Amino acid sequence: MVRVPLTKSERARGERLGSLLRDARGSRSMVQVAAEAGISVETLRKIETGRIPTPAFFTVVAVADAVGVSLDSLRDAVTAEAATTTLPNVS
């Protein structure tokens, strides 16, 4: 199976998601959050840095639960930030 390359906006969305999850993790260690989410520390690291720009849905659910963030708030934050960075400047 050949994967279609991600667009620039899809990669940016993955970076925003990772940044939001990293911020929500706060002072907790990656090891603690990864263990609670049931994923490897390396997977969490890749998500937080945007190297996995399209993580599996259930992985996002597990990490969001582990850091106490709702999927709705993640969606809203990623969408709001995307809208502010992709809308043309109208003056």
Side-chain angles (χ1 to χ4, degrees), residues 9-88:
S9 66
E10 289 169 329
R11 287 191 305 274
R13 186 180 60 214
E15 289 172 4
R16 286 191 302 276
L17 173 66
S19 177
L20 290 165
L21 292 172
R22 182 175 51 249
D23 291 346
R25 179 167 55 85
S27 63
R28 294 175 59 195
S29 74
M30 288 182 121
V31 173
Q32 290 172 315
V33 172
E36 190 173 331
I39 63 173
S40 72
V41 174
E42 186 57 25
T43 296
L44 181 58
R45 182 182 340 276
K46 287 178 180 178
I47 292 169
E48 286 187 355
T49 60
R51 289 190 356 227
I52 299 178
T54 58
F57 174 75
F58 292 105
T59 301
V60 174
V61 170
V63 175
D65 283 345
V67 297
V69 175
S70 74
L71 294 178
D72 287 337
S73 65
L74 278 177
R75 180 202 58 220
D76 292 347
V78 169
T79 303
E81 193 170 327
T84 61
T85 59
T86 59
L87 290 177

